[in-house]
Amino acid sequence: MRSATPQAALPHRHVLTVPTGPGAVRVARETAERALAEWGIDERHPAVGPALLILGELVANTVRHAAALSPQTTVYYAAGPDCLVLAVHDRHPQRPDLTGGHATGPGGLATVLELTHALGGTAVVRGDADGPGKSVWITLPL
């Protein structure tokens, strides 16, 4: 998984790789909660609850749609004094459309985008430089 320079420069970073299957969402969320606490980001911060929900939706989408071609999912967590970055990576070639019809309706990407935009954040899909996979990157202000 590759990252852009701004995320790479953030002082707090953690990477988790889990099997793409049952339990992945729980492990990703628990890891995020521990990392945020270690980094001094208060669990009551207004961005934390939505960030955990966003993370859960992204990992669930990977489990639901990419497991057959991506036996592992990688989650990237990063934070600095003014932002939180989450990315979920899989090796499935299909890239979600964050602006079209797939981003509407209940749950899934619609929830991700609604929460991200409500917090003033951004959502971007980045393809792998070395293959068919992709990462969905969420940046939220703190």
Side-chain angles (χ1 to χ4, degrees), residues 76-100:
Y76 177 79
Y77 312 86
D82 60 352
C83 75
L84 173 63
V85 177
L86 302 168
V88 176
H89 175 265
D90 64 62
R91 299 298 283 178
H92 194 285
Q94 184 175 355
R95 294 183 186 166
D97 179 2
L98 299 181
T99 60

Short mmCIF file of all heavy atoms in Angstrom, two decimals, residues 76-100:
data_model
loop_
_atom_site.label_atom_id
_atom_site.label_comp_id
_atom_site.label_asym_id
_atom_site.label_seq_id
_atom_site.Cartn_x
_atom_site.Cartn_y
_atom_site.Cartn_z
N TYR A 76 -4.45 1.04 7.41
CA TYR A 76 -3.42 2.03 7.73
C TYR A 76 -4.06 3.10 8.60
O TYR A 76 -5.12 3.64 8.25
CB TYR A 76 -2.89 2.63 6.42
CG TYR A 76 -1.87 3.71 6.60
CD1 TYR A 76 -0.54 3.41 6.87
CD2 TYR A 76 -2.22 5.05 6.47
CE1 TYR A 76 0.40 4.40 7.03
CE2 TYR A 76 -1.28 6.05 6.63
CZ TYR A 76 0.03 5.73 6.90
OH TYR A 76 0.96 6.72 7.05
N TYR A 77 -3.45 3.37 9.73
CA TYR A 77 -3.92 4.39 10.66
C TYR A 77 -2.81 5.43 10.79
O TYR A 77 -1.65 5.07 10.95
CB TYR A 77 -4.15 3.82 12.06
CG TYR A 77 -4.94 2.53 12.13
CD1 TYR A 77 -4.31 1.29 12.00
CD2 TYR A 77 -6.30 2.56 12.38
CE1 TYR A 77 -5.03 0.11 12.10
CE2 TYR A 77 -7.02 1.38 12.48
CZ TYR A 77 -6.38 0.16 12.34
OH TYR A 77 -7.09 -1.00 12.44
N ALA A 78 -3.16 6.70 10.75
CA ALA A 78 -2.16 7.75 10.97
C ALA A 78 -2.86 8.96 11.58
O ALA A 78 -4.05 9.18 11.35
CB ALA A 78 -1.48 8.13 9.66
N ALA A 79 -2.10 9.73 12.35
CA ALA A 79 -2.66 10.93 12.95
C ALA A 79 -1.57 11.94 13.20
O ALA A 79 -0.40 11.59 13.36
CB ALA A 79 -3.37 10.59 14.26
N GLY A 80 -1.99 13.17 13.21
CA GLY A 80 -1.15 14.29 13.57
C GLY A 80 -1.95 15.21 14.45
O GLY A 80 -3.07 14.87 14.85
N PRO A 81 -1.43 16.37 14.75
CA PRO A 81 -2.15 17.27 15.66
C PRO A 81 -3.48 17.75 15.11
O PRO A 81 -4.38 18.08 15.88
CB PRO A 81 -1.19 18.43 15.86
CG PRO A 81 -0.08 18.25 14.91
CD PRO A 81 -0.14 16.88 14.35
N ASP A 82 -3.64 17.75 13.79
CA ASP A 82 -4.88 18.31 13.24
C ASP A 82 -5.62 17.37 12.29
O ASP A 82 -6.60 17.78 11.69
CB ASP A 82 -4.59 19.63 12.54
CG ASP A 82 -3.60 19.48 11.39
OD1 ASP A 82 -3.02 18.39 11.23
OD2 ASP A 82 -3.40 20.46 10.67
N CYS A 83 -5.19 16.11 12.15
CA CYS A 83 -5.93 15.21 11.26
C CYS A 83 -5.74 13.75 11.64
O CYS A 83 -4.77 13.38 12.28
CB CYS A 83 -5.56 15.44 9.80
SG CYS A 83 -3.97 14.80 9.31
N LEU A 84 -6.72 12.98 11.21
CA LEU A 84 -6.71 11.53 11.36
C LEU A 84 -6.88 10.94 9.97
O LEU A 84 -7.74 11.39 9.20
CB LEU A 84 -7.87 11.09 12.26
CG LEU A 84 -8.12 9.60 12.39
CD1 LEU A 84 -6.93 8.90 13.04
CD2 LEU A 84 -9.40 9.36 13.21
N VAL A 85 -6.05 9.96 9.63
CA VAL A 85 -6.11 9.31 8.32
C VAL A 85 -6.33 7.82 8.54
O VAL A 85 -5.64 7.20 9.35
CB VAL A 85 -4.81 9.53 7.52
CG1 VAL A 85 -4.85 8.78 6.20
CG2 VAL A 85 -4.57 11.02 7.29
N LEU A 86 -7.30 7.28 7.81
CA LEU A 86 -7.58 5.85 7.81
C LEU A 86 -7.58 5.39 6.37
O LEU A 86 -8.13 6.07 5.49
CB LEU A 86 -8.95 5.57 8.41
CG LEU A 86 -9.19 6.04 9.83
CD1 LEU A 86 -10.67 5.94 10.18
CD2 LEU A 86 -8.35 5.23 10.81
N ALA A 87 -6.99 4.25 6.11
CA ALA A 87 -7.04 3.68 4.76
C ALA A 87 -7.26 2.18 4.88
O ALA A 87 -6.70 1.53 5.78
CB ALA A 87 -5.75 3.96 4.00
N VAL A 88 -8.06 1.65 3.97
CA VAL A 88 -8.30 0.21 3.93
C VAL A 88 -7.91 -0.27 2.54
O VAL A 88 -8.37 0.26 1.53
CB VAL A 88 -9.77 -0.12 4.25
CG1 VAL A 88 -10.03 -1.61 4.11
CG2 VAL A 88 -10.11 0.35 5.66
N HIS A 89 -7.03 -1.27 2.52
CA HIS A 89 -6.46 -1.76 1.26
C HIS A 89 -6.82 -3.22 1.03
O HIS A 89 -6.81 -4.03 1.96
CB HIS A 89 -4.93 -1.64 1.31
CG HIS A 89 -4.27 -2.24 0.13
ND1 HIS A 89 -3.79 -3.53 0.13
CD2 HIS A 89 -4.02 -1.75 -1.11
CE1 HIS A 89 -3.26 -3.79 -1.06
NE2 HIS A 89 -3.40 -2.73 -1.82
N ASP A 90 -7.17 -3.54 -0.22
CA ASP A 90 -7.35 -4.93 -0.62
C ASP A 90 -6.80 -5.10 -2.03
O ASP A 90 -6.46 -4.13 -2.70
CB ASP A 90 -8.82 -5.37 -0.53
CG ASP A 90 -9.73 -4.62 -1.48
OD1 ASP A 90 -9.54 -4.74 -2.72
OD2 ASP A 90 -10.65 -3.94 -1.01
N ARG A 91 -6.70 -6.34 -2.47
CA ARG A 91 -6.11 -6.64 -3.78
C ARG A 91 -7.17 -6.90 -4.86
O ARG A 91 -6.85 -7.38 -5.95
CB ARG A 91 -5.17 -7.84 -3.68
CG ARG A 91 -4.00 -7.62 -2.73
CD ARG A 91 -3.10 -6.51 -3.12
NE ARG A 91 -2.23 -6.94 -4.21
CZ ARG A 91 -1.35 -6.18 -4.81
NH1 ARG A 91 -1.19 -4.93 -4.44
NH2 ARG A 91 -0.61 -6.65 -5.78
N HIS A 92 -8.42 -6.60 -4.59
CA HIS A 92 -9.47 -6.76 -5.59
C HIS A 92 -9.37 -5.60 -6.58
O HIS A 92 -9.18 -4.46 -6.19
CB HIS A 92 -10.84 -6.76 -4.93
CG HIS A 92 -11.94 -7.23 -5.81
ND1 HIS A 92 -12.46 -6.46 -6.82
CD2 HIS A 92 -12.61 -8.41 -5.85
CE1 HIS A 92 -13.41 -7.14 -7.44
NE2 HIS A 92 -13.51 -8.33 -6.87
N PRO A 93 -9.53 -5.87 -7.89
CA PRO A 93 -9.34 -4.80 -8.88
C PRO A 93 -10.48 -3.79 -8.96
O PRO A 93 -10.27 -2.67 -9.43
CB PRO A 93 -9.22 -5.56 -10.20
CG PRO A 93 -9.94 -6.85 -9.97
CD PRO A 93 -9.72 -7.17 -8.51
N GLN A 94 -11.67 -4.13 -8.51
CA GLN A 94 -12.79 -3.19 -8.63
C GLN A 94 -12.61 -2.04 -7.66
O GLN A 94 -12.39 -2.23 -6.47
CB GLN A 94 -14.12 -3.87 -8.37
CG GLN A 94 -15.30 -2.94 -8.58
CD GLN A 94 -16.62 -3.67 -8.43
OE1 GLN A 94 -16.67 -4.88 -8.26
NE2 GLN A 94 -17.70 -2.92 -8.49
N ARG A 95 -12.72 -0.82 -8.21
CA ARG A 95 -12.58 0.38 -7.39
C ARG A 95 -13.96 0.98 -7.15
O ARG A 95 -14.71 1.19 -8.10
CB ARG A 95 -11.68 1.40 -8.08
CG ARG A 95 -10.27 0.89 -8.21
CD ARG A 95 -9.37 1.92 -8.81
NE ARG A 95 -8.06 1.29 -9.03
CZ ARG A 95 -7.13 1.81 -9.77
NH1 ARG A 95 -7.33 2.96 -10.38
NH2 ARG A 95 -5.98 1.18 -9.92
N PRO A 96 -14.27 1.26 -5.90
CA PRO A 96 -15.59 1.85 -5.62
C PRO A 96 -15.69 3.26 -6.18
O PRO A 96 -14.71 4.00 -6.21
CB PRO A 96 -15.66 1.86 -4.10
CG PRO A 96 -14.25 1.83 -3.65
CD PRO A 96 -13.48 1.10 -4.70
N ASP A 97 -16.88 3.59 -6.64
CA ASP A 97 -17.17 4.93 -7.13
C ASP A 97 -17.67 5.75 -5.95
O ASP A 97 -18.76 5.52 -5.45
CB ASP A 97 -18.23 4.86 -8.23
CG ASP A 97 -18.61 6.21 -8.78
OD1 ASP A 97 -18.03 7.23 -8.35
OD2 ASP A 97 -19.50 6.26 -9.64
N LEU A 98 -16.87 6.68 -5.51
CA LEU A 98 -17.24 7.49 -4.35
C LEU A 98 -18.12 8.68 -4.72
O LEU A 98 -18.48 9.46 -3.85
CB LEU A 98 -15.98 7.97 -3.62
CG LEU A 98 -15.08 6.88 -3.07
CD1 LEU A 98 -13.89 7.49 -2.34
CD2 LEU A 98 -15.84 5.93 -2.17
N THR A 99 -18.47 8.81 -5.98
CA THR A 99 -19.31 9.93 -6.38
C THR A 99 -20.59 9.51 -7.07
O THR A 99 -21.52 10.28 -7.18
CB THR A 99 -18.55 10.86 -7.36
OG1 THR A 99 -18.20 10.10 -8.52
CG2 THR A 99 -17.32 11.43 -6.71
N GLY A 100 -20.67 8.28 -7.54
CA GLY A 100 -21.81 7.85 -8.34
C GLY A 100 -22.88 7.15 -7.54
O GLY A 100 -22.99 7.28 -6.33
#
